Amino acid sequence: MRPTYDRNVNVEQCKGGLVIVQAWYGVFGSSNKLIDVTVPLQCLVSNSKLILPEHTKTGLVGFYDVSFGEEKQLAVKYRFRNIMHEVMIEDSDPLKIPRQSHRIAQAASQEDHSVWFKSGKPTQRLSWIVDTCCLFAIEHSEDEAYRRGGE
């Protein structure tokens, strides 16, 4: 799977397409029963799009049920057109990315916002440090034409 991932990332980066930066699947919260699904999701990207159907994600290659009987979610941080995006969905919800509503805007300083990924695992929804220089927060707007622009 790794060679496919490396090829896919290279193709998408060269055209400013869809690159999955980090993705986690499982039970979020105090238990944080999570698996890193960055590589499997990137392998599913085709023509700068990722579409997952409306059913549990446990059947996807690279996914498994981390905690039987508990509600699971999928959190994805991705880059499209060199702009960071993030989304969190329930396990059985469909996922279609990229979407403008997932776009995150640059914030004034790191102190103004909480960190979503600490020690490599999600601790709080929809806010994280992108790199050592920039912090991003969610921007709430929807534009279907934005997603179609990646075609």
Side-chain angles (χ1 to χ4, degrees):
M1 187 178 284
R2 193 63 187 202
T4 301
Y5 167 82
D6 291 337
R7 249 187 334 272
N8 191 303
V9 167
N10 187 45
V11 166
E12 292 295 327
Q13 282 180 335
C14 287
K15 63 182 179 181
L18 179 60
V19 176
I20 307 299
V21 175
Q22 197 164 33
W24 293 94
Y25 174 75
V27 180
F28 289 78
S30 59
S31 65
N32 265 353
K33 297 174 187 172
L34 304 168
I35 57 171
D36 184 343
V37 293
T38 307
V39 172
L41 282 186
Q42 185 66 52
C43 290
L44 295 173
V45 171
S46 178
N47 296 319
S48 297
K49 294 179 193 166
L50 175 63
I51 300 172
L52 301 179
E54 184 177 342
H55 61 71
T56 182
K57 309 306 178 264
T58 57
L60 297 173
V61 174
F63 286 65
Y64 62 90
D65 192 341
V66 297
S67 186
F68 184 75
E70 291 189 67
E71 296 289 324
K72 287 165 270 310
Q73 296 173 309
L74 173 63
V76 183
K77 174 181 167 184
Y78 64 94
R79 182 179 301 111
F80 178 67
R81 295 184 180 163
N82 296 317
I83 298 170
M84 296 305 298
H85 296 69
E86 63 187 0
V87 62
M88 181 177 275
I89 62 166
E90 297 300 319
D91 182 33
S92 60
D93 289 347
L95 177 66
K96 293 180 181 180
I97 60 177
R99 295 189 66 98
Q100 188 168 356
S101 62
H102 301 159
R103 201 172 161 173
I104 45 182
Q106 187 171 2
S109 71
Q110 290 184 354
E111 292 75 33
D112 295 337
H113 300 280
S114 55
V115 176
W116 194 56
F117 280 94
K118 282 185 179 175
S119 305
K121 290 194 176 181
T123 57
Q124 186 175 358
R125 287 185 180 184
L126 301 178
S127 184
W128 57 52
I129 296 177
V130 173
D131 59 32
T132 56
C133 301
C134 300
L135 179 74
F136 292 83
I138 191 75
E139 175 182 292
H140 300 281
S141 64
E142 181 86 19
D143 181 3
E144 189 63 26
Y146 177 79
R147 186 174 60 79
R148 287 192 312 266
E151 297 178 358

